[in-house]
Amino acid sequence: MLFITIVISIPVYGFFIWGLYEPEEAILFMEKWRYKEQPEFSNMQMKLYKLGNICGIILLTLYIMGVGYNTFF
């Protein structure tokens, strides 16, 4: 179970990290076709998106640690 969790979490970590460095691109991932022009995002929206990514990284790490603990103990 631990191996499957780690393998599946690698792309999720990648998306979270990408969202920290390129939040506008991550928000518009697979959604650009809807807009004729590049939409503008507020600073608050960018901060909340980055905060969500940080929380996601922390929660995913805690989940992996929990699965690892249950696997070995």
Side-chain angles (χ1 to χ4, degrees):
M1 185 68 183
L2 180 63
F3 177 74
I4 294 170
T5 303
I6 291 173
V7 168
I8 291 174
S9 68
I10 290 172
V12 176
Y13 270 121
F15 189 77
F16 284 146
I17 292 170
W18 178 49
L20 285 174
Y21 291 108
E22 297 288 335
E24 290 183 12
E25 294 294 322
I27 291 172
L28 294 174
F29 181 65
M30 297 182 69
E31 299 288 331
K32 285 186 180 180
W33 62 271
R34 291 183 177 190
Y35 306 102
K36 291 181 181 178
E37 298 176 4
Q38 184 78 7
E40 294 183 19
F41 299 105
S42 67
N43 289 335
M44 181 60 81
Q45 186 176 5
M46 291 296 121
K47 288 179 184 178
L48 287 174
Y49 189 78
K50 288 181 180 183
L51 180 66
N53 285 332
I54 292 170
C55 291
I57 289 171
I58 292 169
L59 290 174
L60 185 59
T61 302
L62 291 174
Y63 176 74
I64 292 172
M65 289 172 61
V67 170
Y69 181 79
N70 288 336
T71 300
F72 293 113
F73 297 110

